[in-house]
Amino acid sequence: MQEAQKYSRYSFLLDRTARRVKQYAKQRFRELGWSITVDQWTVLKQLFDRGELNQRELADLTFKDHPTMTRIIDLLSTKELIIRKAHPDDRRSFKIALTQSGQQLVEECLPEVQSIRMKAWENLSESDFKEFKRILDSIYDNLSL
Amino acid sequence: MQEAQKYSRYSFLLDRTARRVKQYAKQRFRELGWSITVDQWTVLKQLFDRGELNQRELADLTFKDHPTMTRIIDLLSTKELIIRKAHPDDRRSFKIALTQSGQQLVEECLPEVQSIRMKAWENLSESDFKEFKRILDSIYDNLSL
DNA sequence: TTACATTTGTTGTTATACTAATTATTTTAA
DNA sequence: TTAAAATAATTAGTATAACAACAAATGTAA
């Protein structure tokens, strides 16, 4: 393979694998009868770990843009897993909080999510993880603005 | 970090990095004034490399599903970069072919695409590429159906 | 040959991704 | 203090991504 073409191939493999990982988790969520998506889960988990956050903070933590976060928040609100509370110090902003059923859902799903996530890494060693993380971070930094 | 949480973190980094790579390419395409997306490019490039293909073959090669491919083909047809030609042996199917302007576009864009792709891999070594590919393939296989 | 299964492609629906533009509010600077 | 700049969130438009259901054509087995 030509030198230059090789890099396109790696980018393709990265994209393909990331899609597969997401697809697998999505499918397992469905099979388990959970009515949330993987991206919605990520938001719930952040709120579970860190407590109330505004939408900008959630967007930054999950590396999503603001319009996307608005819509994920809308969907989670409709399902009554979170609520937008008025921000005490800033009327432009909301405090997003888990509802009781949101809290309960995270607690129930957490072990299963972890086993879904583990599946991808079967047969890989501790040093593989380190290498992988290092390379991913390097790629990410190369493309930072 | 807890053992189980680690795997979620790796999945997150993978997703984040893949999104960044796509985002970077998309932005460069825009800056260069190209009116195609990265996924559309991938289809054009396959046709350029392999000649006429049907939609199933294109979907298989790019690891996209058939409805997604239908829509990408629709968009490229509208832009007159490709055409659906009747398949001589199978009336269910089309032969997808580059038009002259499609062919020309690929030839013009190819060097620039390769430099966009290379950007991600700066400061990484040949053995990093090999390791990375091995780990990606392993993850992909772990989640195969 | 007929009935059934498979294949190819399309349509519909929901969700995420990114861009641009907009509103409301808050911050900063003259 | 007032005007301009910046920020938080939303809305609108277009493009992927995945899934289900479907139509038309082809293949296969009795």
Side-chain angles (χ1 to χ4, degrees):
Chain A
M1 199 187 309
Q2 280 205 333
E3 192 63 17
Q5 296 234 6
K6 202 177 57 183
Y7 299 104
S8 294
R9 179 73 190 164
Y10 289 132
S11 301
F12 174 77
L13 287 178
L14 173 59
D15 183 58
R16 182 189 76 157
T17 304
R19 274 188 282 143
R20 172 69 96 197
V21 168
K22 193 159 209 170
Q23 184 186 22
Y24 176 78
K26 180 178 186 176
Q27 184 185 319
R28 292 290 297 134
F29 274 39
R30 273 184 66 83
E31 285 166 4
L32 291 162
W34 301 347
S35 63
I36 56 166
T37 67
V38 178
D39 299 281
Q40 290 166 22
W41 165 263
T42 305
V43 169
L44 295 177
K45 183 60 166 44
Q46 288 291 340
L47 294 170
F48 184 81
D49 289 342
R50 298 171 191 260
E52 300 182 0
L53 298 166
N54 69 22
Q55 295 186 199
R56 181 189 52 73
E57 288 165 335
L58 279 169
D60 290 348
L61 287 166
T62 56
F63 291 81
K64 293 187 183 300
D65 56 32
H66 297 196
T68 298
M69 189 49 61
T70 293
R71 272 148 195 152
I72 292 176
I73 298 294
D74 286 347
L75 290 165
L76 289 171
S77 292
T78 303
K79 293 173 191 164
E80 296 185 325
L81 297 170
I82 60 173
I83 45 164
R84 283 185 172 98
K85 303 197 299 188
H87 194 295
D89 308 324
D90 188 339
R91 286 195 296 163
R92 290 171 304 186
S93 184
F94 300 104
K95 282 282 189 191
I96 312 297
L98 286 175
T99 60
Q100 199 173 359
S101 67
Q103 183 83 19
Q104 207 176 320
L105 184 142
V106 173
E107 283 163 6
E108 282 171 18
C109 296
L110 197 45
E112 191 59 46
V113 170
Q114 290 178 343
S115 95
I116 289 168
R117 288 319 195 176
M118 243 178 277
K119 175 78 176 159
W121 306 96
E122 280 172 6
N123 311 314
L124 290 172
S125 72
E126 197 59 38
S127 71
D128 289 338
F129 300 146
K130 283 213 186 79
E131 280 291 279
F132 193 62
K133 180 179 178 338
R134 177 181 63 79
I135 295 170
L136 285 176
D137 286 341
S138 173
I139 294 169
Y140 191 82
D141 292 340
N142 282 340
L143 303 182
S144 287
L145 315 176
Chain B
M1 201 186 308
Q2 281 203 333
E3 191 63 17
Q5 296 235 7
K6 201 176 58 181
Y7 298 103
S8 293
R9 179 72 189 162
Y10 288 133
S11 300
F12 174 77
L13 287 179
L14 173 58
D15 183 58
R16 183 190 76 156
T17 304
R19 274 188 283 143
R20 172 69 96 197
V21 168
K22 193 160 207 168
Q23 184 185 25
Y24 176 78
K26 180 178 187 176
Q27 184 185 321
R28 292 290 296 134
F29 274 39
R30 273 183 66 81
E31 285 167 5
L32 291 161
W34 301 347
S35 63
I36 56 166
T37 66
V38 177
D39 299 282
Q40 290 166 21
W41 165 263
T42 304
V43 170
L44 295 177
K45 182 61 165 48
Q46 288 292 340
L47 293 170
F48 184 81
D49 289 343
R50 298 171 190 262
E52 300 181 0
L53 297 166
N54 69 21
Q55 296 187 196
R56 180 189 54 71
E57 289 165 335
L58 280 168
D60 290 348
L61 288 165
T62 56
F63 291 82
K64 296 187 183 297
D65 59 21
H66 296 197
T68 298
M69 189 50 61
T70 293
R71 276 147 193 157
I72 293 175
I73 297 293
D74 286 347
L75 291 164
L76 289 170
S77 292
T78 304
K79 294 174 190 163
E80 297 186 323
L81 297 171
I82 59 172
I83 46 165
R84 283 184 172 99
K85 304 197 298 187
H87 194 295
D89 308 324
D90 189 339
R91 285 195 296 162
R92 291 170 303 185
S93 185
F94 301 104
K95 283 282 190 190
I96 311 297
L98 286 176
T99 61
Q100 198 173 358
S101 67
Q103 183 83 19
Q104 207 176 319
L105 185 141
V106 173
E107 283 163 4
E108 281 171 18
C109 297
L110 197 46
E112 191 60 46
V113 170
Q114 290 178 342
S115 95
I116 290 169
R117 288 318 194 178
M118 243 180 276
K119 174 77 176 157
W121 307 96
E122 280 172 5
N123 310 314
L124 290 171
S125 72
E126 197 59 38
S127 71
D128 289 337
F129 300 147
K130 282 213 188 80
E131 280 291 281
F132 193 62
K133 178 177 180 342
R134 179 179 62 79
I135 295 169
L136 286 175
D137 287 341
S138 174
I139 294 169
Y140 191 83
D141 292 340
N142 283 340
L143 304 181
S144 286
L145 316 175

